[in-house]
Structure formats: C-alpha cells, structure tokens
Amino acid sequence: MVEKLTTSIVLYGKVDSLDSNKWGDFYNYISNFIKSIDLVPNYMAVSRESVKSSKISSRIRVEMNLFKAIENKEEILSLSLYSLPEDFETAAFDYNAYICRTSRLSYPHIIVTLPIEIYEKIDYKELIAGLKNFIEFKDGEIFNMSNLESPQLYASKANAPSSFRTLDVKVNL
C-alpha cells in the first residue's frame, strides 16, 4: 500500500434510509461526479434492509441489487462507490475516489475522499451544494489526511481527532 495524502469533504446530518428514490438519485449523482473527474466508478457496496453486509464488489454486480432494493422501496442503510485502480490490493486504502452516504453509524454522513492532487482540480463548493441534496445538513468539514489513517474512520467519529497524526482540518462547514 502506498501512502498518499487525501482530502475529504464530510457532511453530517440526517440521512433518510427509507427514501429509495433519493438513494437512486445519490447513486447517479456520485457516478456522474466520478466520471466528470476522468475516473471510473468500478466498485461499490450497499447495505440494505435484507442484506446487512456491505461487501465491496464490482459495480455491475452490486448495481442490480441497488436497483432491486429501490424498486421494492427497501430501506437502504449505506451506499459506497469507489474508483479503484486495476492493480489495487486493499479498497480501503488504494482508491482514487471514495464516496459514501450512510445512516448506519452514530453520526450519519456523506463523505467524499480523493487524493489531494485530484481534489485540487474540482469545484468543491459546487460538489458540496450538490451533496446537500442528499442529507439534512447540520455541519461538516474539509480535511486532509493520509489514506493509511482511514479518513472514513475519522469521519465516523470512532476515534478522538488527536489519534490521527496526519489530520489537518482545513474548513469547518
């Protein structure tokens, strides 16, 4: 695993796990965003009412299950979309893009994590405005951190901020 500096946008607030159409709209929005930065959304995970596991698999395989859950108006608890290189070893560290919307944790949130060199090329204000359509926004932040320290772990508030040696909070939203 190669260490790289990432930038994450995390938005906290209420995520309606029962609004199936909103999950479909979120999936389309983030798929299009990843494509707009010249990456391929190729792996994903969905945790839903009937399947509590959120195992990462190829997008094509999981996409069918997502659309079936939406059609059945099933409660969806989280959706994660990745852009992973062909030679990735561990999805949690090797991604070129990671985006997740979750209501499963104590602090429901949306997180977008990108290598810093990709983040610097995006219009983050436009991205945040778009993401706010999928959460009852309360607060959030933009932060830099090593991918090996797991920005997702920080965003979930599982550990104290002081436990992350590379954490650098850039903006409070």
Side-chain angles (χ1 to χ4, degrees):
M1 289 171 277
V2 176
E3 182 173 30
K4 57 187 169 190
L5 190 59
T6 64
T7 300
S8 296
I9 299 168
V10 62
L11 307 177
Y12 296 101
K14 185 174 186 273
V15 172
D16 186 351
S17 59
L18 296 172
D19 187 343
S20 298
N21 292 328
K22 184 92 47 167
W23 286 99
D25 293 344
F26 176 73
Y27 173 70
N28 290 328
Y29 180 82
I30 62 174
S31 293
N32 289 331
F33 170 73
I34 290 174
K35 292 173 190 172
S36 78
I37 56 174
D38 296 325
L39 295 173
V40 177
N42 53 2
Y43 282 81
M44 67 185 288
V46 175
S47 176
R48 59 190 202 277
E49 185 179 4
S50 62
V51 180
K52 300 296 184 199
S53 167
S54 55
K55 182 180 176 195
I56 299 166
S57 298
S58 72
R59 181 182 58 88
I60 302 303
R61 290 177 59 188
V62 179
E63 188 176 66
M64 290 187 318
N65 293 329
L66 172 65
F67 293 146
K68 183 178 172 184
I70 290 169
E71 182 180 314
N72 294 336
K73 302 209 180 294
E74 193 173 338
E75 181 178 19
I76 299 172
L77 304 171
S78 71
L79 186 156
S80 301
L81 189 60
Y82 296 78
S83 177
L84 291 166
E86 286 185 27
D87 60 344
F88 82 93
E89 292 178 29
T90 307
F93 303 116
D94 295 338
Y95 54 84
N96 291 315
Y98 168 78
I99 304 174
C100 179
R101 179 180 189 238
T102 184
S103 66
R104 287 175 52 177
L105 304 170
S106 298
Y107 299 93
H109 63 273
I110 295 173
I111 184 171
V112 175
T113 302
L114 304 166
I116 198 166
E117 61 275 6
I118 293 174
Y119 175 81
E120 290 174 345
K121 297 176 184 175
I122 68 165
D123 181 343
Y124 74 90
K125 290 179 182 176
E126 181 180 318
L127 177 60
I128 290 169
L131 293 172
K132 284 182 177 179
N133 292 312
F134 305 103
I135 193 165
E136 287 181 27
F137 177 73
K138 291 189 171 138
D139 62 1
E141 58 190 26
I142 300 172
F143 63 92
N144 292 345
M145 180 182 285
S146 165
N147 62 317
L148 298 181
E149 283 199 282
S150 188
Q152 301 84 350
L153 190 60
Y154 171 73
S156 70
K157 300 185 181 189
N159 295 342
S162 61
S163 67
F164 298 96
R165 67 174 175 74
T166 62
L167 174 63
D168 180 16
V169 176
K170 296 299 200 184
V171 177
N172 286 306
L173 303 172

